[in-house]
Amino acid sequence: MKSFVKLGLATYLTTLLSLCNLSSAFAVDIVQVTSPGGIHAWLIEDRSNPIISMKFAFSGGSSVDPDGKEGLANFVAATIDEGAGDLDSQAFQAKLNDLSISLGFDAGREFFSGELVTLTKNKAIAFELLELSLTGPRFDREPIERIRSQISLALKQRADDPGYKAQSTLRTLYYPNHVYGRANDGTFESLKNITISDLKSYMAENIAQNNLTVAVVGDVDRVELGTLLDQAFGGLTQKSKPFRVSGASPAIKGGTIILDEDIPQSEVIMAHRGISRDDPDYYAAFIVNHILGGGSFSSRLYQEVREKRGLTYSVGSYLSLLDQAPLVMASVATQNERVAETIRIMKEQWSLMAEEGPSEQELIDAKTYLTGSFPLSFTSTGRVANILLAMQLNDLGIDYLDQRNKYLEAVTLEDAKRVAKELFKPDSLTVVIAGRPVGLEEEVPLPFEP
């Protein structure tokens, strides 16, 4: 039985459409679809263009990679469309290209995701090719070794990137015995250990109906979509292998780590514990971080570090929202001679926000920007599908588009000041620097008390 829920979004989407230059025919309803075979999806029907965009995700991602075979999920994502069923790699890719079908996969830390974009007239073959890649990937040796070489080359290039080294070091220090401390796409050693049997096992154990989330936007109605969902996902096993990512608290607090790199400009990353997406104070935290460093040209960090002193081209802070390990983070790159000054100013702004919180005008300006700019996220069917998928993965509710700006508007100045004091802890910042900063010494990181 198929079900659907209509949302009262007419006023919101009228603004959205005028800002985003989308057709006035863009559907205003999010529809909950359940296929005859029991596959669930959220749908926004849009008949303005003959295109269907679908985003989907399976829980797990690289978090379920076996020890010693880190990067397995990433390897699977890179190879399951390199031939499937009776089509070898060249034939499979040729069919996608000839019919202008875009099919791709990606492995993050917590989800293995995919995207399918097709012209409506080619929807039957598009969903058939998706089904083949999920249920019958060939994993032939030639494309496997070709992709292995490509990933190996990418790992080599990344190993020489100071910015990546800083991020990797922070991750390893924070989570030394946790899946979050591992490289998402593996290492040279782990890549060598991955066999074709491992690729097949990953698919068999983790790609299933019970851990699948689907979002669709485009030229299709709920009845048609039900048939297509069964075609694409009906052949999957019903249950994935059980898994659970354990909680992950940072192992250290504070301290400065310097990675010696013979470069004229140091890469700096800073972090401490953050706030989870489902915390009642998330929206207040989102606003105060926007004011501190997330607001690009308007943020305090941008104004103090770049505009007033010209210490860098780009500086910012952000909320990292891994399910079991939320962080508040900041990054900057600056000349070695100016690293110490830059970090000092950033920590001063961190402290000032914690002590005083935002001003009333800053709060008003942040709300105006964050609510007014939200419709600009809806510039294509693909981006809308991404938002629908994220809404489901984060349990935001099918009415989130109607409620999101209300949540932000409800944050009071008192809320913002309280959350800023609780969230920003300058003395707990761990700073990792890749470069040769002048006037700074390495500080031994302090462990959290067990």
Side-chain angles (χ1 to χ4, degrees), residues 19 22 27 29 34 47 55 60 79-80 86 122 134 155 162-163 171 177 196 202 223 272 291 323 337 367 381 384:
L19 287 173
L22 290 176
D29 299 332
T34 300
R47 298 291 188 174
K55 310 280 185 173
T79 52
I80 61 174
D86 295 332
N122 296 329
L134 292 174
L155 293 176
R171 183 180 66 241
N177 300 306
I196 292 176
Y202 184 94
V223 175
H272 64 53
I291 294 168
D323 187 42
E337 294 78 11
K367 287 182 178 181
T381 56
V384 177

Side-chain angles (χ1 to χ4, degrees), residues 144-408:
I144 292 299
E145 296 310 317
R146 170 166 47 82
I147 298 297
R148 194 193 305 270
S149 296
Q150 292 173 359
I151 296 175
S152 180
L153 177 59
L155 293 176
K156 183 177 185 301
Q157 293 171 337
R158 189 185 66 185
D160 296 327
D161 183 336
Y164 176 80
K165 289 182 180 180
Q167 294 179 31
S168 177
T169 298
L170 180 74
R171 183 180 66 241
T172 303
L173 287 170
Y174 261 27
Y175 312 115
N177 300 306
H178 195 275
V179 292
Y180 288 161
R182 309 187 308 192
N184 191 59
D185 43 3
T187 64
F188 291 113
E189 292 73 22
S190 66
L191 185 63
K192 294 176 184 177
N193 294 335
I194 296 173
T195 66
I196 292 176
S197 177
D198 294 324
L199 302 176
K200 293 178 178 179
S201 294
Y202 184 94
M203 295 293 294
E205 294 175 355
N206 301 292
I207 306 301
Q209 292 182 16
N210 72 312
N211 65 343
L212 169 66
T213 304
V214 184
V216 181
V217 177
D219 185 21
V220 62
D221 63 32
R222 58 184 181 271
V223 175
E224 295 172 308
L225 181 59
T227 300
L228 294 171
L229 291 173
D230 282 344
Q231 181 179 350
F233 305 113
L236 297 178
T237 183
Q238 291 196 352
K239 291 187 177 182
S240 63
K241 181 180 179 180
F243 82 96
R244 179 179 177 272
V245 178
S246 60
S249 296
I252 59 173
K253 61 176 179 179
T256 300
I257 299 94
I258 299 174
L259 310 175
D260 184 54
E261 295 286 329
D262 187 11
I263 50 177
Q265 179 170 275
S266 292
E267 298 280 347
V268 182
I269 188 166
M270 310 163 67
H272 64 53
R273 281 177 171 171
I275 186 169
S276 64
R277 183 62 181 81
D278 58 0
D279 192 293
D281 286 327
Y282 168 77
Y283 292 98
F286 182 60
I287 289 174
V288 295
N289 176 71
H290 175 85
I291 294 168
L292 175 66
S296 186
F297 304 115
S298 64
S299 74
R300 290 186 181 183
L301 291 181
Y302 186 91
Q303 290 296 318
E304 294 295 328
V305 177
R306 174 176 169 167
E307 287 297 292
K308 292 183 179 180
R309 297 172 177 85
L311 295 173
T312 185
Y313 179 79
S314 177
V315 60
S317 63
Y318 53 98
L319 304 179
S320 175
L321 298 173
L322 282 174
D323 187 42
Q324 299 295 329
L327 298 173
V328 184
M329 305 186 71
S331 61
V332 68
T334 189
Q335 293 177 356
N336 290 330
E337 294 78 11
R338 313 192 78 176
V339 172
E341 180 184 6
T342 300
I343 292 175
R344 176 181 60 78
I345 293 168
M346 292 176 70
K347 286 187 173 182
E348 286 176 354
Q349 291 303 312
W350 219 271
S351 297
L352 190 62
M353 180 61 79
E355 293 166 4
E356 301 180 1
S359 69
E360 184 173 6
Q361 189 60 52
E362 284 178 320
L363 181 62
I364 292 171
D365 291 344
K367 287 182 178 181
T368 299
Y369 176 83
L370 292 171
T371 57
S373 64
F374 185 52
L376 298 177
S377 303
F378 295 74
T379 53
S380 69
T381 56
R383 295 190 70 177
V384 177
N386 268 332
I387 292 171
L388 290 189
L389 184 66
M391 287 165 58
Q392 296 176 78
L393 295 178
N394 287 287
D395 296 321
L396 298 181
I398 201 167
D399 64 343
Y400 174 72
L401 295 182
D402 200 29
Q403 300 298 322
R404 185 260 193 188
N405 283 356
K406 297 178 184 178
Y407 298 147
L408 293 172

Side-chain angles (χ1 to χ4, degrees), residues 27-100:
V28 298
D29 299 332
I30 297 180
V31 178
Q32 283 186 323
V33 175
T34 300
S35 76
I39 306 298
H40 303 288
W42 284 9
L43 165 68
I44 291 181
E45 186 178 338
D46 172 20
R47 298 291 188 174
S48 60
N49 290 297
I51 297 174
I52 300 172
S53 293
M54 180 169 72
K55 310 280 185 173
F56 53 93
F58 301 91
S59 56
S62 66
S63 294
V64 300
D65 289 349
D67 291 339
K69 297 189 178 183
E70 295 82 4
L72 174 58
N74 181 67
F75 204 166
V76 172
T79 52
I80 61 174
D81 60 351
E82 291 286 338
D86 295 332
L87 303 172
D88 63 16
S89 176
Q90 187 173 1
F92 192 91
Q93 291 297 320
K95 184 160 286 194
L96 291 174
N97 292 334
D98 291 345
L99 297 174
S100 299

